[in-house]
């Protein structure tokens, strides 16, 4: 999977997420405003809870829409060894056991997984611990990250 395919898959996943959240927010809004959910006493909070849910889902949908817009405007840059790894870099890391994983440094959408099996790519941002360590690194550099008190060392084996 190359960077263009990764970017297209991220945009498609975010579009699907926006639509799913839009539908969920609409359902929660309808539940919040339904006549049968009107409070009959001060302890009847079903309508209020549905309102909070609708608000939260609408806020999350707005965040995903913003991430989608950011990715739709993202310019993919070729890897420049003088600058090292930057936003839009597709990086392959290999740990000490020889296991490889691929990450895409994106501006938003951390944790999103694209593809399956050996083609799977995880989106990380420069704000994440791994992203902070990777920014500026170059091909064949080692990166070390302490997770749950254990140092994990990986080598940068490919950058696109």
């Amino acid at each position: 999977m190359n960077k263009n395919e990764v970017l297209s898959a991220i945009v498609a996943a975010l579009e699907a997420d926006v639509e799913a959240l839009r539908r969920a927010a609409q359902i929660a809004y309808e539940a919040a405003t339904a006549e049968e959910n009107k409070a009959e006493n001060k302890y009847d909070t079903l309508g209020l809870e549905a309102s909070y849910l609708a608000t939260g889902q609408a806020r999350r949908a707005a965040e995903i829409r913003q991430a989608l817009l950011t990715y739709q405007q993202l310019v993919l840059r070729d890897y420049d060894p003088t600058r090292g790894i930057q936003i839009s870099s597709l990086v392959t890391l290999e740990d000490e056991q020889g296991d490889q994983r691929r990450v895409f440094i994106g501006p938003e959408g951390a944790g999103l997984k694209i593809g399956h099996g050996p083609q799977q790519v995880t989106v990380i941002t420069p704000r994440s611990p791994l992203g902070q360590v990777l920014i500026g690194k170059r091909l064949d550099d080692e990166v070390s990250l302490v997770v749950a008190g254990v140092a994990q060392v990986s080598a940068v084996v490919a950058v696109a």
Side-chain angles (χ1 to χ4, degrees), residues 9-11 13-14 17 71 108-114 121-124:
I10 290 170
V11 167
L14 290 173
D17 287 350
Y71 275 103
E108 301 286 340
L112 187 62
K113 293 187 185 320
I114 304 299
V121 176
T122 302
V123 177
I124 64 171

Side-chain angles (χ1 to χ4, degrees), residues 54-76:
T55 300
Q57 287 173 328
R59 187 176 300 125
R60 180 68 182 133
E63 290 169 359
I64 294 175
R65 270 194 301 279
Q66 181 58 47
L68 175 60
L69 181 62
T70 301
Y71 275 103
Q72 288 171 332
Q73 297 173 350
L74 182 65
V75 175
L76 295 177

Side-chain angles (χ1 to χ4, degrees), residues 23-63:
R23 285 192 309 269
Q26 181 63 35
I27 290 168
Y29 172 78
E30 289 169 3
T33 58
E35 185 64 32
E36 64 269 10
N37 288 337
K38 263 192 176 169
E40 295 175 7
N41 59 51
K42 67 180 182 178
Y43 301 107
D44 189 1
T45 61
L46 185 60
L48 181 61
E49 291 168 9
S51 172
Y52 289 151
L53 180 61
T55 300
Q57 287 173 328
R59 187 176 300 125
R60 180 68 182 133
E63 290 169 359

Side-chain angles (χ1 to χ4, degrees), residues 4 14 24 35 47 63-64 70 96 118 128 140 142-143 149 152-153 158 160:
N4 288 322
L14 290 173
E35 185 64 32
E63 290 169 359
I64 294 175
T70 301
E96 295 167 324
S128 70
D140 297 324
E142 277 193 357
V143 293
Q152 297 180 350
V153 179

